[in-house]
Amino acid sequence: MRSMGMRVMPTSDRLTDLPVDRRMTYGEMRRAVLGLPVVVASAILPGNLMGCYDRRRDVILIDRRLTYRAKRCVLVHELVHWAHGDDGEYARGLCEARTRRETALTLVDPDEYALAEHAYEGNAWAIADELDVTMQVLRDYRSVLSGGRIMVSDKSRQGRVSNGKEAGTGTGLDLPV
């Protein structure tokens, strides 16, 4: 995909009330959210789950096995769920697409994307590396630029939002009570 003919989204489309921005490392983001009424912790999550938000407990878990690049993308994704008050009932379809859209717009600077797109002649891996985002975030950003819809399937979701009704502890997460 080339940058020619694509429109750049205005910066006002980004979610602006989170205390994180695209220039921050994962560690800086973790420190920036310390004052929020949500706990961010790391754990070994089951299966291919990269992160999750439990609304009932206001807890975000990030899989500790991820790279720092993936952790920062998943953290922003889960913070967007938190900021919108999402729960398990609404974490599918349009809600997940909205979250992925806002994550991409928060993490990708339009000017930096345009420069990387030109410099790497559309090579997605090189562009994602340059912008310090995952391939999923880059695909979502490109989808927003092209005016397309972000397609959501259970297998492609970065994380999960718990409504506290799943089997097990009653929270959807294996957290101490």
mmCIF file of all heavy atoms in Angstrom, residues 41-94:
data_model
loop_
_atom_site.group_PDB
_atom_site.id
_atom_site.type_symbol
_atom_site.label_atom_id
_atom_site.label_comp_id
_atom_site.label_asym_id
_atom_site.label_seq_id
_atom_site.Cartn_x
_atom_site.Cartn_y
_atom_site.Cartn_z
ATOM 1 N N ALA A 41 -1.292 -4.752 35.453
ATOM 2 C CA ALA A 41 -0.369 -5.774 35.938
ATOM 3 C C ALA A 41 -0.011 -6.706 34.795
ATOM 4 O O ALA A 41 -0.668 -6.723 33.754
ATOM 5 C CB ALA A 41 -1.003 -6.558 37.087
ATOM 6 N N SER A 42 1.044 -7.481 35.006
ATOM 7 C CA SER A 42 1.422 -8.468 34.003
ATOM 8 C C SER A 42 1.204 -9.856 34.579
ATOM 9 O O SER A 42 1.264 -10.064 35.786
ATOM 10 C CB SER A 42 2.866 -8.281 33.555
ATOM 11 O OG SER A 42 3.743 -8.487 34.636
ATOM 12 N N ALA A 43 0.934 -10.783 33.690
ATOM 13 C CA ALA A 43 0.698 -12.170 34.075
ATOM 14 C C ALA A 43 0.919 -13.035 32.848
ATOM 15 O O ALA A 43 1.004 -12.526 31.731
ATOM 16 C CB ALA A 43 -0.730 -12.346 34.592
ATOM 17 N N ILE A 44 1.020 -14.312 33.058
ATOM 18 C CA ILE A 44 1.036 -15.239 31.930
ATOM 19 C C ILE A 44 -0.416 -15.570 31.639
ATOM 20 O O ILE A 44 -1.101 -16.182 32.467
ATOM 21 C CB ILE A 44 1.875 -16.484 32.239
ATOM 22 C CG1 ILE A 44 3.334 -16.065 32.436
ATOM 23 C CG2 ILE A 44 1.727 -17.517 31.126
ATOM 24 C CD1 ILE A 44 4.271 -17.185 32.798
ATOM 25 N N LEU A 45 -0.887 -15.117 30.492
ATOM 26 C CA LEU A 45 -2.289 -15.288 30.124
ATOM 27 C C LEU A 45 -2.470 -16.551 29.290
ATOM 28 O O LEU A 45 -1.550 -16.965 28.579
ATOM 29 C CB LEU A 45 -2.783 -14.056 29.368
ATOM 30 C CG LEU A 45 -2.713 -12.748 30.154
ATOM 31 C CD1 LEU A 45 -3.176 -11.577 29.295
ATOM 32 C CD2 LEU A 45 -3.537 -12.829 31.428
ATOM 33 N N PRO A 46 -3.637 -17.139 29.353
ATOM 34 C CA PRO A 46 -3.876 -18.393 28.638
ATOM 35 C C PRO A 46 -3.978 -18.218 27.127
ATOM 36 O O PRO A 46 -4.390 -17.166 26.639
ATOM 37 C CB PRO A 46 -5.206 -18.872 29.215
ATOM 38 C CG PRO A 46 -5.895 -17.637 29.681
ATOM 39 C CD PRO A 46 -4.799 -16.708 30.126
ATOM 40 N N GLY A 47 -3.611 -19.273 26.405
ATOM 41 C CA GLY A 47 -3.755 -19.309 24.951
ATOM 42 C C GLY A 47 -3.054 -18.159 24.272
ATOM 43 O O GLY A 47 -1.941 -17.797 24.626
ATOM 44 N N ASN A 48 -3.733 -17.575 23.290
ATOM 45 C CA ASN A 48 -3.139 -16.456 22.549
ATOM 46 C C ASN A 48 -3.629 -15.107 23.069
ATOM 47 O O ASN A 48 -3.504 -14.100 22.392
ATOM 48 C CB ASN A 48 -3.414 -16.595 21.050
ATOM 49 C CG ASN A 48 -4.894 -16.533 20.736
ATOM 50 O OD1 ASN A 48 -5.729 -16.487 21.631
ATOM 51 N ND2 ASN A 48 -5.224 -16.541 19.462
ATOM 52 N N LEU A 49 -4.168 -15.079 24.276
ATOM 53 C CA LEU A 49 -4.649 -13.844 24.882
ATOM 54 C C LEU A 49 -3.451 -12.949 25.212
ATOM 55 O O LEU A 49 -2.552 -13.339 25.939
ATOM 56 C CB LEU A 49 -5.431 -14.180 26.154
ATOM 57 C CG LEU A 49 -6.245 -13.067 26.792
ATOM 58 C CD1 LEU A 49 -7.312 -12.552 25.821
ATOM 59 C CD2 LEU A 49 -6.894 -13.578 28.063
ATOM 60 N N MET A 50 -3.452 -11.741 24.642
ATOM 61 C CA MET A 50 -2.342 -10.817 24.840
ATOM 62 C C MET A 50 -2.594 -9.858 25.989
ATOM 63 O O MET A 50 -1.663 -9.371 26.617
ATOM 64 C CB MET A 50 -2.093 -10.050 23.543
ATOM 65 C CG MET A 50 -1.679 -10.962 22.398
ATOM 66 S SD MET A 50 -1.704 -10.141 20.798
ATOM 67 C CE MET A 50 -0.300 -9.058 20.964
ATOM 68 N N GLY A 51 -3.843 -9.569 26.240
ATOM 69 C CA GLY A 51 -4.206 -8.665 27.304
ATOM 70 C C GLY A 51 -5.692 -8.759 27.559
ATOM 71 O O GLY A 51 -6.442 -9.288 26.743
ATOM 72 N N CYS A 52 -6.123 -8.252 28.703
ATOM 73 C CA CYS A 52 -7.548 -8.240 29.013
ATOM 74 C C CYS A 52 -7.839 -7.158 30.036
ATOM 75 O O CYS A 52 -6.959 -6.742 30.788
ATOM 76 C CB CYS A 52 -8.021 -9.604 29.509
ATOM 77 S SG CYS A 52 -7.139 -10.216 30.945
ATOM 78 N N TYR A 53 -9.070 -6.715 30.023
ATOM 79 C CA TYR A 53 -9.545 -5.721 30.975
ATOM 80 C C TYR A 53 -10.735 -6.298 31.714
ATOM 81 O O TYR A 53 -11.682 -6.781 31.096
ATOM 82 C CB TYR A 53 -9.936 -4.428 30.255
ATOM 83 C CG TYR A 53 -10.741 -3.487 31.114
ATOM 84 C CD1 TYR A 53 -10.217 -2.987 32.307
ATOM 85 C CD2 TYR A 53 -12.018 -3.098 30.757
ATOM 86 C CE1 TYR A 53 -10.961 -2.138 33.114
ATOM 87 C CE2 TYR A 53 -12.764 -2.246 31.541
ATOM 88 C CZ TYR A 53 -12.239 -1.776 32.722
ATOM 89 O OH TYR A 53 -12.970 -0.942 33.524
ATOM 90 N N ASP A 54 -10.690 -6.277 33.030
ATOM 91 C CA ASP A 54 -11.794 -6.734 33.872
ATOM 92 C C ASP A 54 -12.459 -5.495 34.451
ATOM 93 O O ASP A 54 -11.906 -4.838 35.343
ATOM 94 C CB ASP A 54 -11.270 -7.643 34.990
ATOM 95 C CG ASP A 54 -12.376 -8.212 35.862
ATOM 96 O OD1 ASP A 54 -13.480 -7.618 35.914
ATOM 97 O OD2 ASP A 54 -12.144 -9.245 36.498
ATOM 98 N N ARG A 55 -13.626 -5.170 33.933
ATOM 99 C CA ARG A 55 -14.331 -3.953 34.347
ATOM 100 C C ARG A 55 -14.757 -4.024 35.812
ATOM 101 O O ARG A 55 -14.732 -3.030 36.519
ATOM 102 C CB ARG A 55 -15.539 -3.740 33.450
ATOM 103 C CG ARG A 55 -16.306 -2.492 33.803
ATOM 104 C CD ARG A 55 -17.456 -2.281 32.869
ATOM 105 N NE ARG A 55 -18.221 -1.117 33.285
ATOM 106 C CZ ARG A 55 -19.370 -0.801 32.781
ATOM 107 N NH1 ARG A 55 -19.897 -1.534 31.828
ATOM 108 N NH2 ARG A 55 -20.007 0.256 33.211
ATOM 109 N N ARG A 56 -15.160 -5.192 36.236
ATOM 110 C CA ARG A 56 -15.652 -5.332 37.610
ATOM 111 C C ARG A 56 -14.585 -4.983 38.638
ATOM 112 O O ARG A 56 -14.871 -4.396 39.673
ATOM 113 C CB ARG A 56 -16.152 -6.757 37.823
ATOM 114 C CG ARG A 56 -16.968 -6.904 39.069
ATOM 115 C CD ARG A 56 -17.644 -8.258 39.110
ATOM 116 N NE ARG A 56 -17.367 -8.808 40.425
ATOM 117 C CZ ARG A 56 -17.025 -10.034 40.676
ATOM 118 N NH1 ARG A 56 -16.913 -10.893 39.711
ATOM 119 N NH2 ARG A 56 -16.798 -10.428 41.893
ATOM 120 N N ARG A 57 -13.357 -5.319 38.332
ATOM 121 C CA ARG A 57 -12.250 -5.040 39.262
ATOM 122 C C ARG A 57 -11.362 -3.884 38.823
ATOM 123 O O ARG A 57 -10.410 -3.549 39.519
ATOM 124 C CB ARG A 57 -11.384 -6.286 39.419
ATOM 125 C CG ARG A 57 -12.127 -7.390 40.118
ATOM 126 C CD ARG A 57 -11.187 -8.487 40.440
ATOM 127 N NE ARG A 57 -11.902 -9.533 41.143
ATOM 128 C CZ ARG A 57 -11.325 -10.408 41.918
ATOM 129 N NH1 ARG A 57 -10.032 -10.384 42.089
ATOM 130 N NH2 ARG A 57 -12.040 -11.324 42.516
ATOM 131 N N ASP A 58 -11.641 -3.322 37.661
ATOM 132 C CA ASP A 58 -10.792 -2.270 37.088
ATOM 133 C C ASP A 58 -9.330 -2.708 37.066
ATOM 134 O O ASP A 58 -8.444 -2.052 37.606
ATOM 135 C CB ASP A 58 -10.962 -0.944 37.835
ATOM 136 C CG ASP A 58 -12.133 -0.141 37.304
ATOM 137 O OD1 ASP A 58 -12.465 -0.295 36.110
ATOM 138 O OD2 ASP A 58 -12.715 0.643 38.073
ATOM 139 N N VAL A 59 -9.110 -3.846 36.397
ATOM 140 C CA VAL A 59 -7.772 -4.412 36.262
ATOM 141 C C VAL A 59 -7.496 -4.692 34.793
ATOM 142 O O VAL A 59 -8.338 -5.252 34.089
ATOM 143 C CB VAL A 59 -7.635 -5.722 37.073
ATOM 144 C CG1 VAL A 59 -6.318 -6.419 36.771
ATOM 145 C CG2 VAL A 59 -7.761 -5.451 38.560
ATOM 146 N N ILE A 60 -6.315 -4.290 34.357
ATOM 147 C CA ILE A 60 -5.821 -4.632 33.016
ATOM 148 C C ILE A 60 -4.651 -5.573 33.221
ATOM 149 O O ILE A 60 -3.740 -5.277 33.997
ATOM 150 C CB ILE A 60 -5.357 -3.380 32.244
ATOM 151 C CG1 ILE A 60 -6.551 -2.489 31.897
ATOM 152 C CG2 ILE A 60 -4.572 -3.766 30.987
ATOM 153 C CD1 ILE A 60 -6.170 -1.145 31.294
ATOM 154 N N LEU A 61 -4.686 -6.704 32.534
ATOM 155 C CA LEU A 61 -3.553 -7.632 32.555
ATOM 156 C C LEU A 61 -2.929 -7.669 31.172
ATOM 157 O O LEU A 61 -3.628 -7.729 30.164
ATOM 158 C CB LEU A 61 -4.002 -9.042 32.936
ATOM 159 C CG LEU A 61 -4.443 -9.256 34.384
ATOM 160 C CD1 LEU A 61 -4.861 -10.704 34.592
ATOM 161 C CD2 LEU A 61 -3.340 -8.870 35.348
ATOM 162 N N ILE A 62 -1.601 -7.650 31.142
ATOM 163 C CA ILE A 62 -0.835 -7.734 29.905
ATOM 164 C C ILE A 62 0.021 -8.996 30.009
ATOM 165 O O ILE A 62 0.683 -9.215 31.025
ATOM 166 C CB ILE A 62 0.089 -6.513 29.718
ATOM 167 C CG1 ILE A 62 -0.674 -5.188 29.882
ATOM 168 C CG2 ILE A 62 0.841 -6.581 28.394
ATOM 169 C CD1 ILE A 62 -1.662 -4.885 28.812
ATOM 170 N N ASP A 63 0.020 -9.807 28.951
ATOM 171 C CA ASP A 63 0.822 -11.029 28.981
ATOM 172 C C ASP A 63 2.298 -10.669 29.048
ATOM 173 O O ASP A 63 2.817 -9.946 28.192
ATOM 174 C CB ASP A 63 0.553 -11.896 27.754
ATOM 175 C CG ASP A 63 1.137 -13.291 27.905
ATOM 176 O OD1 ASP A 63 2.356 -13.413 28.169
ATOM 177 O OD2 ASP A 63 0.380 -14.261 27.786
ATOM 178 N N ARG A 64 2.960 -11.165 30.079
ATOM 179 C CA ARG A 64 4.362 -10.791 30.313
ATOM 180 C C ARG A 64 5.323 -11.372 29.287
ATOM 181 O O ARG A 64 6.469 -10.962 29.218
ATOM 182 C CB ARG A 64 4.799 -11.171 31.721
ATOM 183 C CG ARG A 64 4.880 -12.651 31.984
ATOM 184 C CD ARG A 64 5.360 -12.953 33.366
ATOM 185 N NE ARG A 64 4.621 -12.122 34.304
ATOM 186 C CZ ARG A 64 4.575 -12.310 35.596
ATOM 187 N NH1 ARG A 64 5.242 -13.270 36.141
ATOM 188 N NH2 ARG A 64 3.866 -11.530 36.357
ATOM 189 N N ARG A 65 4.874 -12.323 28.472
ATOM 190 C CA ARG A 65 5.764 -12.923 27.466
ATOM 191 C C ARG A 65 5.869 -12.093 26.194
ATOM 192 O O ARG A 65 6.680 -12.379 25.326
ATOM 193 C CB ARG A 65 5.264 -14.327 27.119
ATOM 194 C CG ARG A 65 5.283 -15.278 28.305
ATOM 195 C CD ARG A 65 4.540 -16.549 28.002
ATOM 196 N NE ARG A 65 3.119 -16.238 27.881
ATOM 197 C CZ ARG A 65 2.159 -17.147 27.806
ATOM 198 N NH1 ARG A 65 2.465 -18.422 27.808
ATOM 199 N NH2 ARG A 65 0.900 -16.789 27.700
ATOM 200 N N LEU A 66 5.075 -11.048 26.076
ATOM 201 C CA LEU A 66 5.079 -10.225 24.870
ATOM 202 C C LEU A 66 6.330 -9.358 24.795
ATOM 203 O O LEU A 66 6.951 -9.054 25.813
ATOM 204 C CB LEU A 66 3.850 -9.308 24.856
ATOM 205 C CG LEU A 66 2.481 -9.976 24.826
ATOM 206 C CD1 LEU A 66 1.385 -8.920 24.948
ATOM 207 C CD2 LEU A 66 2.311 -10.796 23.566
ATOM 208 N N THR A 67 6.642 -8.922 23.593
ATOM 209 C CA THR A 67 7.716 -7.946 23.418
ATOM 210 C C THR A 67 7.242 -6.605 23.980
ATOM 211 O O THR A 67 6.034 -6.384 24.145
ATOM 212 C CB THR A 67 8.063 -7.757 21.929
ATOM 213 O OG1 THR A 67 6.916 -7.189 21.271
ATOM 214 C CG2 THR A 67 8.458 -9.067 21.267
ATOM 215 N N TYR A 68 8.180 -5.708 24.242
ATOM 216 C CA TYR A 68 7.783 -4.394 24.740
ATOM 217 C C TYR A 68 6.930 -3.652 23.711
ATOM 218 O O TYR A 68 6.023 -2.906 24.072
ATOM 219 C CB TYR A 68 9.001 -3.567 25.146
ATOM 220 C CG TYR A 68 9.568 -4.030 26.466
ATOM 221 C CD1 TYR A 68 10.811 -4.654 26.533
ATOM 222 C CD2 TYR A 68 8.839 -3.867 27.637
ATOM 223 C CE1 TYR A 68 11.308 -5.095 27.748
ATOM 224 C CE2 TYR A 68 9.333 -4.306 28.856
ATOM 225 C CZ TYR A 68 10.569 -4.920 28.901
ATOM 226 O OH TYR A 68 11.056 -5.361 30.100
ATOM 227 N N ARG A 69 7.210 -3.836 22.446
ATOM 228 C CA ARG A 69 6.395 -3.218 21.397
ATOM 229 C C ARG A 69 4.957 -3.712 21.493
ATOM 230 O O ARG A 69 4.021 -2.911 21.489
ATOM 231 C CB ARG A 69 6.964 -3.548 20.018
ATOM 232 C CG ARG A 69 6.027 -3.116 18.882
ATOM 233 C CD ARG A 69 6.646 -3.338 17.533
ATOM 234 N NE ARG A 69 7.769 -2.424 17.439
ATOM 235 C CZ ARG A 69 8.915 -2.696 16.828
ATOM 236 N NH1 ARG A 69 9.090 -3.852 16.239
ATOM 237 N NH2 ARG A 69 9.884 -1.822 16.791
ATOM 238 N N ALA A 70 4.775 -5.015 21.601
ATOM 239 C CA ALA A 70 3.424 -5.570 21.706
ATOM 240 C C ALA A 70 2.757 -5.125 23.008
ATOM 241 O O ALA A 70 1.566 -4.797 23.022
ATOM 242 C CB ALA A 70 3.469 -7.090 21.610
ATOM 243 N N LYS A 71 3.517 -5.090 24.099
ATOM 244 C CA LYS A 71 2.947 -4.680 25.386
ATOM 245 C C LYS A 71 2.411 -3.253 25.324
ATOM 246 O O LYS A 71 1.339 -2.960 25.851
ATOM 247 C CB LYS A 71 3.998 -4.776 26.501
ATOM 248 C CG LYS A 71 4.296 -6.187 26.925
ATOM 249 C CD LYS A 71 5.368 -6.197 28.003
ATOM 250 C CE LYS A 71 5.710 -7.610 28.419
ATOM 251 N NZ LYS A 71 6.715 -7.639 29.484
ATOM 252 N N ARG A 72 3.142 -2.341 24.687
ATOM 253 C CA ARG A 72 2.655 -0.960 24.640
ATOM 254 C C ARG A 72 1.402 -0.850 23.780
ATOM 255 O O ARG A 72 0.479 -0.114 24.125
ATOM 256 C CB ARG A 72 3.758 0.023 24.219
ATOM 257 C CG ARG A 72 4.193 -0.016 22.795
ATOM 258 C CD ARG A 72 5.413 0.867 22.520
ATOM 259 N NE ARG A 72 5.100 2.268 22.452
ATOM 260 C CZ ARG A 72 4.636 2.871 21.364
ATOM 261 N NH1 ARG A 72 4.427 2.187 20.261
ATOM 262 N NH2 ARG A 72 4.378 4.165 21.375
ATOM 263 N N CYS A 73 1.322 -1.621 22.702
ATOM 264 C CA CYS A 73 0.121 -1.598 21.861
ATOM 265 C C CYS A 73 -1.075 -2.205 22.587
ATOM 266 O O CYS A 73 -2.183 -1.662 22.547
ATOM 267 C CB CYS A 73 0.386 -2.337 20.548
ATOM 268 S SG CYS A 73 1.601 -1.510 19.482
ATOM 269 N N VAL A 74 -0.855 -3.319 23.265
ATOM 270 C CA VAL A 74 -1.933 -3.966 24.010
ATOM 271 C C VAL A 74 -2.373 -3.082 25.178
ATOM 272 O O VAL A 74 -3.572 -2.958 25.453
ATOM 273 C CB VAL A 74 -1.505 -5.374 24.495
ATOM 274 C CG1 VAL A 74 -2.545 -5.976 25.432
ATOM 275 C CG2 VAL A 74 -1.279 -6.291 23.298
ATOM 276 N N LEU A 75 -1.430 -2.438 25.852
ATOM 277 C CA LEU A 75 -1.794 -1.561 26.958
ATOM 278 C C LEU A 75 -2.699 -0.432 26.482
ATOM 279 O O LEU A 75 -3.739 -0.151 27.092
ATOM 280 C CB LEU A 75 -0.548 -0.990 27.639
ATOM 281 C CG LEU A 75 -0.814 0.012 28.771
ATOM 282 C CD1 LEU A 75 -1.679 -0.589 29.868
ATOM 283 C CD2 LEU A 75 0.511 0.522 29.333
ATOM 284 N N VAL A 76 -2.347 0.211 25.391
ATOM 285 C CA VAL A 76 -3.195 1.290 24.870
ATOM 286 C C VAL A 76 -4.564 0.730 24.485
ATOM 287 O O VAL A 76 -5.604 1.326 24.802
ATOM 288 C CB VAL A 76 -2.525 2.016 23.690
ATOM 289 C CG1 VAL A 76 -3.496 2.976 23.007
ATOM 290 C CG2 VAL A 76 -1.284 2.762 24.164
ATOM 291 N N HIS A 77 -4.590 -0.441 23.840
ATOM 292 C CA HIS A 77 -5.849 -1.080 23.448
ATOM 293 C C HIS A 77 -6.742 -1.300 24.674
ATOM 294 O O HIS A 77 -7.918 -0.929 24.676
ATOM 295 C CB HIS A 77 -5.533 -2.413 22.754
ATOM 296 C CG HIS A 77 -6.734 -3.169 22.333
ATOM 297 N ND1 HIS A 77 -7.228 -3.117 21.050
ATOM 298 C CD2 HIS A 77 -7.547 -4.020 23.011
ATOM 299 C CE1 HIS A 77 -8.295 -3.891 20.963
ATOM 300 N NE2 HIS A 77 -8.510 -4.455 22.144
ATOM 301 N N GLU A 78 -6.186 -1.857 25.728
ATOM 302 C CA GLU A 78 -6.972 -2.139 26.927
ATOM 303 C C GLU A 78 -7.351 -0.853 27.657
ATOM 304 O O GLU A 78 -8.433 -0.760 28.239
ATOM 305 C CB GLU A 78 -6.222 -3.099 27.854
ATOM 306 C CG GLU A 78 -5.936 -4.458 27.241
ATOM 307 C CD GLU A 78 -7.160 -5.203 26.710
ATOM 308 O OE1 GLU A 78 -8.284 -4.981 27.224
ATOM 309 O OE2 GLU A 78 -6.991 -6.004 25.774
ATOM 310 N N LEU A 79 -6.491 0.165 27.621
ATOM 311 C CA LEU A 79 -6.840 1.452 28.210
ATOM 312 C C LEU A 79 -8.018 2.099 27.487
ATOM 313 O O LEU A 79 -8.854 2.772 28.112
ATOM 314 C CB LEU A 79 -5.636 2.400 28.201
ATOM 315 C CG LEU A 79 -4.572 2.146 29.255
ATOM 316 C CD1 LEU A 79 -3.320 2.975 28.959
ATOM 317 C CD2 LEU A 79 -5.101 2.434 30.662
ATOM 318 N N VAL A 80 -8.091 1.910 26.187
ATOM 319 C CA VAL A 80 -9.236 2.435 25.439
ATOM 320 C C VAL A 80 -10.512 1.731 25.897
ATOM 321 O O VAL A 80 -11.542 2.383 26.124
ATOM 322 C CB VAL A 80 -9.020 2.313 23.914
ATOM 323 C CG1 VAL A 80 -10.289 2.675 23.150
ATOM 324 C CG2 VAL A 80 -7.860 3.187 23.459
ATOM 325 N N HIS A 81 -10.451 0.401 26.056
ATOM 326 C CA HIS A 81 -11.621 -0.311 26.596
ATOM 327 C C HIS A 81 -11.998 0.271 27.957
ATOM 328 O O HIS A 81 -13.170 0.535 28.231
ATOM 329 C CB HIS A 81 -11.328 -1.805 26.757
ATOM 330 C CG HIS A 81 -11.492 -2.611 25.521
ATOM 331 N ND1 HIS A 81 -12.656 -2.647 24.787
ATOM 332 C CD2 HIS A 81 -10.630 -3.459 24.895
ATOM 333 C CE1 HIS A 81 -12.516 -3.472 23.759
ATOM 334 N NE2 HIS A 81 -11.286 -3.970 23.802
ATOM 335 N N TRP A 82 -11.003 0.464 28.821
ATOM 336 C CA TRP A 82 -11.253 1.010 30.153
ATOM 337 C C TRP A 82 -11.884 2.398 30.066
ATOM 338 O O TRP A 82 -12.864 2.688 30.755
ATOM 339 C CB TRP A 82 -9.943 1.053 30.952
ATOM 340 C CG TRP A 82 -10.080 1.829 32.224
ATOM 341 C CD1 TRP A 82 -10.650 1.411 33.387
ATOM 342 C CD2 TRP A 82 -9.660 3.178 32.441
ATOM 343 N NE1 TRP A 82 -10.605 2.418 34.324
ATOM 344 C CE2 TRP A 82 -9.998 3.511 33.760
ATOM 345 C CE3 TRP A 82 -9.020 4.128 31.650
ATOM 346 C CZ2 TRP A 82 -9.728 4.757 34.310
ATOM 347 C CZ3 TRP A 82 -8.747 5.369 32.198
ATOM 348 C CH2 TRP A 82 -9.106 5.664 33.511
ATOM 349 N N ALA A 83 -11.322 3.265 29.226
ATOM 350 C CA ALA A 83 -11.807 4.640 29.111
ATOM 351 C C ALA A 83 -13.266 4.686 28.663
ATOM 352 O O ALA A 83 -14.010 5.587 29.053
ATOM 353 C CB ALA A 83 -10.929 5.435 28.137
ATOM 354 N N HIS A 84 -13.677 3.711 27.866
ATOM 355 C CA HIS A 84 -15.054 3.663 27.394
ATOM 356 C C HIS A 84 -15.969 2.861 28.323
ATOM 357 O O HIS A 84 -17.166 2.764 28.070
ATOM 358 C CB HIS A 84 -15.112 3.062 25.985
ATOM 359 C CG HIS A 84 -14.646 4.026 24.933
ATOM 360 N ND1 HIS A 84 -15.388 5.115 24.522
ATOM 361 C CD2 HIS A 84 -13.497 4.071 24.218
ATOM 362 C CE1 HIS A 84 -14.730 5.780 23.599
ATOM 363 N NE2 HIS A 84 -13.573 5.172 23.387
ATOM 364 N N GLY A 85 -15.404 2.261 29.369
ATOM 365 C CA GLY A 85 -16.216 1.472 30.294
ATOM 366 C C GLY A 85 -16.756 0.204 29.673
ATOM 367 O O GLY A 85 -17.830 -0.270 30.059
ATOM 368 N N ASP A 86 -16.019 -0.360 28.722
ATOM 369 C CA ASP A 86 -16.473 -1.574 28.044
ATOM 370 C C ASP A 86 -16.541 -2.749 29.011
ATOM 371 O O ASP A 86 -15.771 -2.834 29.958
ATOM 372 C CB ASP A 86 -15.526 -1.939 26.894
ATOM 373 C CG ASP A 86 -15.544 -0.901 25.787
ATOM 374 O OD1 ASP A 86 -16.501 -0.104 25.720
ATOM 375 O OD2 ASP A 86 -14.586 -0.879 24.994
ATOM 376 N N ASP A 87 -17.450 -3.646 28.737
ATOM 377 C CA ASP A 87 -17.488 -4.912 29.470
ATOM 378 C C ASP A 87 -17.680 -6.037 28.471
ATOM 379 O O ASP A 87 -17.762 -5.805 27.275
ATOM 380 C CB ASP A 87 -18.554 -4.918 30.571
ATOM 381 C CG ASP A 87 -19.976 -4.832 30.038
ATOM 382 O OD1 ASP A 87 -20.224 -5.194 28.869
ATOM 383 O OD2 ASP A 87 -20.856 -4.427 30.806
ATOM 384 N N GLY A 88 -17.732 -7.239 28.942
ATOM 385 C CA GLY A 88 -17.795 -8.407 28.072
ATOM 386 C C GLY A 88 -18.968 -8.416 27.125
ATOM 387 O O GLY A 88 -18.909 -8.970 26.042
ATOM 388 N N GLU A 89 -20.071 -7.802 27.521
ATOM 389 C CA GLU A 89 -21.250 -7.783 26.663
ATOM 390 C C GLU A 89 -21.030 -6.929 25.420
ATOM 391 O O GLU A 89 -21.655 -7.123 24.400
ATOM 392 C CB GLU A 89 -22.462 -7.246 27.442
ATOM 393 C CG GLU A 89 -22.859 -8.103 28.615
ATOM 394 C CD GLU A 89 -23.276 -9.510 28.208
ATOM 395 O OE1 GLU A 89 -24.038 -9.646 27.222
ATOM 396 O OE2 GLU A 89 -22.832 -10.458 28.860
ATOM 397 N N TYR A 90 -20.165 -5.933 25.532
ATOM 398 C CA TYR A 90 -19.978 -4.984 24.443
ATOM 399 C C TYR A 90 -18.606 -5.082 23.786
ATOM 400 O O TYR A 90 -18.259 -4.244 22.981
ATOM 401 C CB TYR A 90 -20.191 -3.561 24.966
ATOM 402 C CG TYR A 90 -21.552 -3.392 25.578
ATOM 403 C CD1 TYR A 90 -21.713 -3.358 26.951
ATOM 404 C CD2 TYR A 90 -22.679 -3.311 24.773
ATOM 405 C CE1 TYR A 90 -22.965 -3.222 27.518
ATOM 406 C CE2 TYR A 90 -23.932 -3.181 25.326
ATOM 407 C CZ TYR A 90 -24.080 -3.139 26.699
ATOM 408 O OH TYR A 90 -25.311 -3.019 27.245
ATOM 409 N N ALA A 91 -17.828 -6.076 24.153
ATOM 410 C CA ALA A 91 -16.449 -6.143 23.680
ATOM 411 C C ALA A 91 -16.318 -6.818 22.322
ATOM 412 O O ALA A 91 -15.245 -7.200 21.925
ATOM 413 C CB ALA A 91 -15.582 -6.873 24.704
ATOM 414 N N ARG A 92 -17.390 -6.956 21.620
ATOM 415 C CA ARG A 92 -17.342 -7.586 20.313
ATOM 416 C C ARG A 92 -17.797 -6.594 19.245
ATOM 417 O O ARG A 92 -18.347 -5.549 19.554
ATOM 418 C CB ARG A 92 -18.231 -8.819 20.299
ATOM 419 C CG ARG A 92 -17.667 -9.936 21.145
ATOM 420 C CD ARG A 92 -18.730 -11.013 21.366
ATOM 421 N NE ARG A 92 -18.331 -12.103 22.210
ATOM 422 C CZ ARG A 92 -17.985 -12.036 23.471
ATOM 423 N NH1 ARG A 92 -17.914 -10.897 24.076
ATOM 424 N NH2 ARG A 92 -17.679 -13.106 24.159
ATOM 425 N N GLY A 93 -17.572 -6.923 18.017
ATOM 426 C CA GLY A 93 -18.109 -6.148 16.909
ATOM 427 C C GLY A 93 -17.685 -4.703 16.879
ATOM 428 O O GLY A 93 -16.507 -4.375 16.849
ATOM 429 N N LEU A 94 -18.674 -3.819 16.895
ATOM 430 C CA LEU A 94 -18.400 -2.390 16.747
ATOM 431 C C LEU A 94 -17.539 -1.834 17.867
ATOM 432 O O LEU A 94 -16.700 -0.974 17.642
ATOM 433 C CB LEU A 94 -19.710 -1.610 16.661
ATOM 434 C CG LEU A 94 -20.561 -1.885 15.431
ATOM 435 C CD1 LEU A 94 -21.877 -1.112 15.513
ATOM 436 C CD2 LEU A 94 -19.807 -1.540 14.163
#
